[in-house]
Amino acid sequence: MNHPALFKPIQVGNLALANRIVVAPMCQYSAVEGCMTDWHFVHLGQFMLSGAALLTIEATAVLPEGRISYADTGLWNDETEAAMRRVLEGIRNCFDMPIGIQLAHAGRKASTDVPWKGGDQLPPGDAHGWQTVAPSAIPFESSDHPPTALTIEDMTRIRDAFAAAATRADRLGIQLIQLHAAHGYLLHQFLSPLSNQREDEYGGTLENRMRFPLEVFDAVRAVFPAEKPVSVRLSATDWVAGGWDVEQSIIFARELEKRGCSAIHISSGGLHPAQEIPVGPSYQVPLARAVKAAVKMPVVAVGLITSYEQAEAIIGTGDADMIALARTMLYDPRWPWHAAAALGAQIKAPKQYLRCQPRQHGNLFAATP
Ligand SMILES: Cc1cc2nc3c(=O)[nH]c(=O)nc-3n(C[C@H](O)[C@H](O)[C@H](O)COP(=O)(O)O)c2cc1C
């Protein structure tokens, strides 16, 4: 029996994970007034059977105006919490696996249509649109309706909303929080000098640009039970000259680690339309490797990881501690089973499905509960 690196257990804080495969957060644009719907049963339920170690719930807005679109999932009141409880209880009754949630605020990239209707920004006058907010009144696209620059009072309200959502997530039995500081959304907008041109103590120097994201991290870490991990998803570069880059990411990651961050998830881009991304297999892995060299907490790599051997190599060489998969899991929701079969590892499968074990992989299924 081989012992592929991809299937070695790992600890994230106190959370024990069975292998190194994470289902990345994926917005479904299928919520109503922030409430999860039956779609989420099917979508999240299929991943409960996937054999991945951790399921990350999609970017979940901490305030209504922090949604990317009007159809985003939220966790800002009792109704959104009850809708999420219904889905989580349903899927957990069928199978158990650790579940994390990505807490988010879209900032200037909020108020859009859903992707299958073009995803364009909807101005405040639109029936489905609202006034966006950001560190500075600089729109993402020059043609966008500009965001309002946040006051300190607004920022306090947003920070408190992140903490309140974390408390709700804990009540829902969610085992891990991931703060969304990537892809050009609000916390990333504070980090990057391209979107943050504030002249107060929240803009200018790197220390000032990191201040609000770190305050949000501290507020969430303070209310989420100490035994449960809080992690951060970061765009390690804007892919634009003069923007956020890997050197600043390393300083930010170290600062997070000092404050009790349990893992860091390395993505990139999304902040500026002028980005030039060298897209290709594993294109973000070098960024993960650079951050991993500077921190002790587990580092997650993501982006165009599709083959079993590629995933095994990323973990085996130590470029990252875990991999996250998004489109790969939509295309093949039992990718971890197929990876285990190809690499000679075992996977936990539900008892109802045990009869499907292929003859040539007679040892694939580990004991199931
Ligand atoms: C349908 C879809 C929805 C996504 N939603 C989110 C999200 O909610 N939060 C986030 O940080 N990234 C989101 N992403 C980005 C993915 O998590 C991932 O970083 C990206 O797709 C690259 O990984 P991949 O090549 O495995 O798809 C989404 C991607 C897809 C395809």
Side-chain angles (χ1 to χ4, degrees), residues 47-359:
F47 294 137
M48 298 296 280
L49 308 180
S50 69
L54 176 70
L55 168 60
T56 319
I57 296 172
E58 67 192 78
T60 298
V62 299
L63 287 166
E65 63 272 25
R67 291 173 294 174
I68 302 168
S69 81
Y70 55 88
D72 282 25
T73 293
L75 191 53
W76 61 72
N77 60 12
D78 291 348
E79 288 71 33
T80 51
E81 183 179 337
M84 196 174 285
R85 180 179 304 285
R86 173 177 163 268
V87 169
L88 293 185
E89 281 182 359
I91 62 177
R92 279 190 167 130
N93 279 339
C94 299
F95 203 70
D96 195 23
M97 74 179 287
I99 298 181
I101 188 168
Q102 186 183 55
L103 295 183
H105 190 301
R108 69 179 186 175
K109 285 177 78 177
S111 186
T112 73
D113 211 336
V114 295
W116 47 87
K117 290 186 181 166
D120 290 341
Q121 195 204 41
L122 300 174
D126 187 281
H128 286 306
W130 59 88
Q131 175 62 53
T132 60
V133 295
S136 305
I138 307 168
F140 175 68
E141 297 277 4
S142 52
S143 56
D144 284 351
H145 184 86
T148 305
L150 290 163
T151 64
I152 303 289
E153 292 71 35
D154 298 331
M155 288 159 59
T156 304
R157 180 168 163 265
I158 292 172
R159 183 202 65 198
D160 292 351
F162 269 98
T167 301
R168 292 183 187 277
D170 175 47
R171 265 205 302 266
L172 291 168
I174 288 171
Q175 287 116 312
L176 172 146
I177 284 178
Q178 178 184 93
L179 289 183
H180 198 351
H183 303 166
Y185 296 112
L186 184 69
L187 299 183
H188 185 179
Q189 289 160 28
F190 270 92
L191 293 172
S192 176
L194 301 175
S195 45
N196 180 351
Q197 292 176 11
R198 296 178 72 94
E199 288 175 0
D200 61 5
E201 69 271 33
Y202 291 94
T205 63
L206 173 59
E207 192 187 355
N208 282 359
R209 284 180 279 118
M210 294 193 306
R211 194 181 306 282
F212 184 63
L214 291 173
E215 285 178 3
V216 169
F217 177 86
D218 288 345
V220 166
R221 185 58 286 177
V223 298
F224 204 52
E227 69 279 8
K228 292 188 181 183
V230 178
S231 68
V232 173
R233 194 175 217 203
L234 188 62
S235 277
T237 172
D238 290 340
W239 301 113
V240 179
W244 182 254
D245 57 20
V246 74
E247 287 74 27
Q248 297 172 82
S249 297
I250 286 171
I251 295 169
F252 184 52
R254 283 189 171 140
E255 202 53 51
L256 287 166
E257 188 166 44
K258 265 196 248 162
R259 291 157 185 258
C261 185
S262 297
I264 189 129
H265 190 136
I266 301 299
S267 189
S268 74
L271 185 103
H272 200 282
Q275 63 187 13
E276 286 184 27
I277 308 183
V279 177
S282 297
Y283 70 104
Q284 294 175 147
V285 172
L287 302 170
R289 186 193 310 134
V291 175
K292 186 166 159 53
V295 297
K296 294 196 179 60
M297 62 185 155
V299 174
V300 187
V302 68
L304 283 180
I305 301 168
T306 52
S307 87
Y308 318 129
E309 297 72 20
Q310 179 193 7
E312 173 63 11
I314 292 167
I315 307 301
T317 55
D319 281 346
D321 300 288
M322 289 179 277
I323 54 152
L325 306 173
R327 290 165 292 185
T328 299
M329 289 298 285
L330 292 184
Y331 188 69
D332 178 5
R334 278 208 269 291
W335 189 95
W337 290 27
H338 304 145
L343 299 171
Q346 284 198 307
I347 202 92
K348 218 167 77 171
K351 53 187 177 298
Q352 294 90 337
Y353 285 9
L354 291 177
R355 286 168 68 184
C356 77
Q357 179 167 266
R359 276 169 198 263

